Amino acid sequence: MLAKRVARNVLYNSSSIIVSNAAGLLISVYLARTLQKEQFGVYSLTISVAFLLMVFTDLGINATTVRFCARAFSKGDYEELRGYFKFLTKIKISLSIFSSLLLFLLSDFLSQNVFREEALSLPLKFASILLLFLPLSGYLTSVFNAFNDFKANFVRAVSYEFSRVIAVISLVTLGLSVIGAILGYVVASITATVTLLSLLVKKYGRILFGKEKKIKKRGVLKFTSYLTIGSITWTIFAYVDSVMIGIFMPVEYVGYYRIALLVVSAISGILSVPAVMFPVFVALEGEDLRTAFKRAFKYSSMIAVPITFGLPVIAKPVIRVAFGAEYLPAVTALWILSLLILRAALGFWGNIFNAKGMPEYPVYVLSLAMVMNVLLNYFLIPIFGISGAALATVASNALNWIALALLSKRIFNVFFDAWDLIKPVISSLVMLGVILNIKPKTIPEGILMIFVGAAVYFLVLWLLRGVSRKDIDYLWNAFK
């Protein structure tokens, strides 16, 4: 039953990410081809700054909601759950209002004194509205996830992305350019928030509203305090590269880099098994925890590793066909950033620590990785440009993964079987040797090359006993 629940949640979560990434790619392709390179750079930098400041709308509240509400829900203590929900909701709304006002007030200063780009000022003001609504839709999704309900992720993705595509394309077509693109995000965030709130009241209103129990706020705030540091650190970690490119290089290079990162994120996000394992890890201990982790790692690495090897092969034609030849400077960064796809297999450890009420370990490690990322960006961007930013991102992510893996083995005795990583790597190398000898000249031939590569990979993996009949039966029973 646990496997079936995880499989169901993986399908819902992956489906939502597929919708989100498909919409994100569509919008980026449309804007890259509609706007000039400079305007697309302004748009990319505006979004990066907005999402960087969005850190102040969370401060660990979403993850705290999942952990405490999930624990109360699993015990059937709805009065305690209501106490957590009411307390955390008040904090979330206050943080969203604060962050929105902060970006609005800082817009002129950032555009004139930090980026020296006057055209940024007005888009940043409109982006401040985004900070008011988009975080609330994310918070409502976390409430659903606390009930182990990931169908809401799909609902949010559909409502947000559908309205975002329609609004962005309509407003830009009307001649609003960058402002229209930002307003499209605002319309989408309002739509998603209203949709999720309506669904939450209808589905879980009886559980969330009513008599509440007095909760131990100090314990919640202590847990949140570590996640606050982690949230700030992670957001800086995720967006500092784009911001620093905007400081050191012409604004169009932010657009090149964001395209490379978008392609990688679109692929790696589909394999987001770690995200759906968080509520599961909360309820598991000992050998059950180790078994769940090993299975999740094995099946994630089985898919993530070959994609990591294969993406660089098709990077150049993907960029040329989707975005246009003028965006080919993104290719080299895409080659390097493709290593981030391994996050699907290596990103479990932070969730284990958070699920077990030990968020300080991921915070300490991520803080170290963030400092490393900033320093590497500072030194590498002036030398290697956006490729330097990509190197900094991959190196600091690797430090984060390795350190948390070693700590997890020491504290929980949770670690992966090395062969579950080695066998996919060997199979991927054989696959790479085959597809590099195929020279597709058309899009259908390129698609055929991908299928040939996948067939070779799984054949070699089967011969190496990296996947067995038992694995196939297990996955079939879980997903059918």
Side-chain angles (χ1 to χ4, degrees):
M1 290 302 297
L2 176 62
K4 288 181 179 294
R5 188 164 65 247
V6 171
R8 179 194 64 203
N9 290 341
V10 168
L11 286 174
Y12 277 131
N13 200 54
S14 295
S15 298
S16 67
I17 292 172
I18 288 172
V19 171
S20 298
N21 291 342
L25 284 172
L26 176 62
I27 289 172
S28 294
V29 169
Y30 170 77
L31 293 177
R33 290 183 171 275
T34 303
L35 305 176
Q36 298 296 322
K37 290 188 296 184
E38 292 76 13
Q39 287 184 312
F40 185 73
V42 169
Y43 155 79
S44 300
L45 188 53
T46 300
I47 292 298
S48 297
V49 171
F51 277 81
L52 184 59
L53 286 180
M54 199 175 289
V55 64
F56 298 110
T57 68
D58 184 18
L59 301 183
I61 297 300
N62 289 3
T64 301
T65 301
V66 174
R67 184 181 187 275
F68 283 91
C69 290
R71 189 176 64 178
F73 181 69
S74 65
K75 295 187 302 181
D77 192 342
Y78 296 155
E79 291 184 6
E80 182 179 279
L81 189 153
R82 292 170 191 139
Y84 289 130
F85 173 70
K86 184 176 180 181
F87 176 61
L88 293 168
T89 300
K90 288 180 179 178
I91 297 176
K92 186 70 178 184
I93 293 173
S94 300
L95 290 174
S96 297
I97 295 172
F98 168 77
S99 302
S100 178
L101 289 173
L102 181 65
L103 181 57
F104 184 86
L105 295 174
L106 286 177
S107 57
D108 290 336
F109 173 81
L110 291 173
S111 60
Q112 295 171 12
N113 299 302
V114 178
F115 301 107
R116 298 177 295 279
E117 184 69 48
E118 291 285 344
L120 269 176
S121 180
L122 194 56
L124 286 175
K125 285 183 171 63
F126 280 100
S128 67
I129 308 173
L130 179 65
L131 295 189
L132 191 60
F133 292 99
L134 186 58
L136 295 179
S137 67
Y139 171 71
L140 293 174
T141 304
S142 297
V143 177
F144 280 101
N145 293 168
F147 300 141
N148 216 3
D149 183 348
F150 282 78
K151 186 176 181 179
N153 297 46
F154 183 69
V155 173
R156 177 180 185 250
V158 171
S159 60
Y160 177 78
E161 302 301 347
F162 180 77
S163 55
R164 181 166 67 130
V165 169
I166 297 299
V168 168
I169 293 178
S170 299
L171 293 171
V172 173
T173 302
L174 289 173
L176 294 179
S177 189
V178 176
I179 301 299
I182 303 301
L183 281 175
Y185 278 76
V186 173
V187 171
S189 63
I190 294 173
T191 302
T193 301
V194 172
T195 301
L196 285 173
L197 184 59
S198 301
L199 182 62
L200 186 67
V201 172
K202 180 180 179 181
K203 197 169 184 179
Y204 297 108
R206 180 180 60 84
I207 295 175
L208 290 173
F209 304 106
K211 184 180 179 181
E212 64 189 65
K213 182 187 294 184
K214 187 176 181 180
I215 61 171
K216 297 179 180 178
K217 296 180 180 180
R218 180 175 296 180
V220 177
L221 293 175
K222 181 180 178 181
F223 183 84
T224 306
S225 64
Y226 285 108
L227 293 182
T228 295
I229 301 171
S231 178
I232 294 172
T233 304
W234 176 251
T235 305
I236 294 173
F237 189 83
Y239 291 98
V240 69
D241 43 8
S242 299
V243 173
M244 292 183 74
I245 290 171
I247 293 173
F248 287 113
M249 303 183 70
V251 70
E252 59 265 27
Y253 283 89
V254 180
Y256 299 148
Y257 184 78
R258 295 306 300 180
I259 283 176
L261 199 58
L262 175 67
V263 172
V264 172
S265 299
I267 296 172
S268 60
I270 298 171
L271 311 174
S272 60
V273 179
V276 304
M277 293 302 293
F278 184 25
V280 176
F281 289 152
V282 170
L284 297 180
E285 299 289 346
E287 191 59 35
D288 291 334
L289 176 63
R290 286 187 283 274
T291 300
F293 172 82
K294 287 182 178 179
R295 282 194 182 277
F297 181 89
K298 179 179 181 178
Y299 299 142
S300 295
S301 61
M302 192 186 300
I303 303 299
V305 172
I307 296 176
T308 301
F309 279 79
L311 180 58
V313 177
I314 62 173
K316 190 171 183 178
V318 165
I319 295 296
R320 180 188 287 113
V321 171
F323 297 95
E326 63 269 32
Y327 292 95
L328 285 177
V331 170
T332 306
L334 179 54
W335 290 342
I336 301 169
L337 291 171
S338 62
L339 290 168
L340 295 181
I341 295 172
L342 292 174
R343 184 184 300 153
L346 302 174
F348 289 98
W349 286 289
N351 284 331
I352 293 177
F353 283 102
N354 289 338
K356 298 308 168 188
M358 304 170 69
E360 62 270 23
Y361 288 95
V363 167
Y364 295 150
V365 173
L366 186 60
S367 298
L368 179 62
M370 184 269 290
V371 172
M372 176 183 176
N373 191 24
V374 173
L375 291 175
L376 287 177
N377 273 299
Y378 181 81
F379 289 109
L380 294 180
I381 290 175
I383 300 173
F384 300 108
I386 60 175
S387 296
L391 287 169
T393 298
V394 170
S396 49
N397 268 281
L399 171 67
N400 186 55
W401 297 333
I402 293 170
L404 285 177
L406 296 176
L407 285 170
S408 175
K409 181 174 177 59
R410 178 181 176 183
I411 297 172
F412 304 112
N413 194 26
V414 172
F415 204 65
F416 63 91
D417 185 338
W419 285 108
D420 288 338
L421 190 59
I422 294 172
K423 290 178 181 178
V425 168
I426 294 173
S427 303
S428 297
L429 289 172
V430 176
M431 174 198 74
L432 193 62
V434 172
I435 62 177
L436 285 176
N437 289 301
I438 301 176
K439 308 294 183 183
K441 297 180 179 179
T442 63
I443 292 178
E445 289 177 358
I447 295 173
L448 179 62
M449 180 191 71
I450 293 174
F451 280 106
V452 169
V456 170
Y457 168 77
F458 282 108
L459 175 62
V460 176
L461 190 65
W462 177 271
L463 295 175
L464 292 174
R465 297 184 178 179
V467 61
S468 64
R469 179 72 186 185
K470 183 179 178 181
D471 292 317
I472 295 173
D473 290 340
Y474 180 85
L475 291 171
W476 172 255
N477 289 327
F479 281 98
K480 72 178 181 179

